[in-house]
Amino acid sequence: MYKSFLKPSFDFIFSFILLLILSPVLLIVITLLYFFNQKNVFFLQSRPGKNEKVFKIIKFKTMTDQKDEFGNLLPDEFRLTKMGKFVRKTSLDELPQLINVLKGDMSFIGPRPLLVSYLSLYNEEQKKRHLIKPGITGWAQVNGRNTITWAQKFIYDVYYVNNISFLLDAKIFLLTIKKVLKREGINTVGQATTESFNGKN
């Protein structure tokens, strides 16, 4: 009952309430990013959701679109702005995903929605992460986030899929608050962002 009815009901109700409560914060971040990120405020990208159905994820944009002389995007560390670093460290970049939750594309808690290009790289066990809606936060995020390997992340993701419960969600919610306040696991060591998944790492 929790997985099929209560969890999606909570997602809809709380995402609506939070969007109303946090609207002043959202407006402030939008204004700051408009001026500091060359008017680029939102980041929209196709991501696979439940049953690998693709949707557009919404985040605050933390990097510019600067390219080299050959038209290739510069490495992340060169495109990540000072304002973008702050937004990312405080996890404010995730707030627009409340819209995805309200729409039903995502849940508050579940495996993070990754790139569409990764779909062909998963093994059969890892594919199970797509049996449920992706989340803003999840079991992998509170157990290392970007400081653990992809293999470890997927083990945590599948564990969550197989063990969804109100108590587990409550635990993840509380641990997420702790992680955000302590700003833990934002980046992979030595990198501005996390490394890409290649099917082996």
Side-chain angles (χ1 to χ4, degrees):
M1 182 177 180
Y2 174 73
K3 179 180 177 180
S4 59
F5 178 72
L6 292 179
K7 184 176 171 70
S9 297
F10 288 157
D11 285 337
F12 180 83
I13 293 170
F14 289 127
S15 61
F16 180 77
I17 293 173
L18 283 174
L19 280 170
L20 289 178
I21 294 174
L22 296 174
S23 56
V25 176
L26 291 168
L27 288 173
I28 291 172
V29 176
I30 288 171
T31 302
L32 290 172
L33 287 176
Y34 182 84
F35 288 105
F36 283 90
N37 278 19
Q38 303 173 3
K39 300 182 180 181
N40 292 317
V41 177
F42 293 105
F43 173 78
L44 282 77
Q45 189 178 57
S46 296
R47 299 286 179 95
K50 183 178 180 180
N51 298 323
E52 300 184 2
K53 181 181 179 182
V54 177
F55 68 97
K56 290 286 185 181
I57 195 172
I58 309 169
K59 299 179 71 173
F60 280 130
K61 195 174 180 69
T62 58
M63 293 187 284
T64 66
D65 296 318
Q66 290 178 284
K67 299 179 180 179
D68 60 23
E69 64 270 29
F70 303 106
N72 301 311
L73 286 173
L74 293 175
D76 292 350
E77 59 266 28
F78 295 108
R79 296 188 295 118
L80 189 60
T81 65
K82 289 183 178 179
M83 184 61 196
K85 288 180 181 178
F86 171 77
V87 170
R88 186 172 293 215
K89 281 184 178 180
T90 54
S91 295
L92 289 171
D93 60 319
E94 310 287 356
L95 287 182
Q97 289 170 70
L98 290 171
I99 298 172
N100 289 122
V101 177
L102 186 65
K103 289 173 58 182
D105 296 324
M106 294 177 62
S107 175
F108 274 104
I109 299 172
R112 285 294 295 157
L114 303 175
L115 299 178
V116 175
S117 59
Y118 292 172
L119 288 175
S120 62
L121 302 177
Y122 299 136
N123 60 39
E124 291 305 311
E125 184 70 7
Q126 292 167 348
K127 285 182 180 180
K128 292 180 180 178
R129 68 192 310 278
H130 291 292
L131 293 176
I132 62 172
K133 290 180 182 179
I136 295 178
T137 185
W139 192 227
Q141 280 59 53
V142 298
N143 281 285
R145 196 174 177 179
N146 289 335
T147 63
I148 59 177
T149 66
W150 282 107
Q152 290 172 313
K153 288 180 186 179
F154 296 144
I155 289 173
Y156 284 127
D157 287 343
V158 174
Y159 174 87
Y160 178 78
V161 171
N162 293 330
N163 295 276
I164 294 176
S165 69
F166 174 78
L167 289 178
L168 181 56
D169 277 1
K171 182 177 182 179
I172 293 171
F173 175 75
L174 293 175
L175 288 173
T176 297
I177 293 176
K178 177 184 176 183
K179 291 282 185 181
V180 171
L181 292 176
K182 295 180 71 175
R183 301 181 184 180
E184 293 179 343
I186 303 298
N187 300 320
T188 304
V189 176
Q191 298 183 16
T193 56
T194 190
E195 64 176 336
S196 299
F197 176 57
N198 58 23
K200 299 177 182 178
N201 50 351

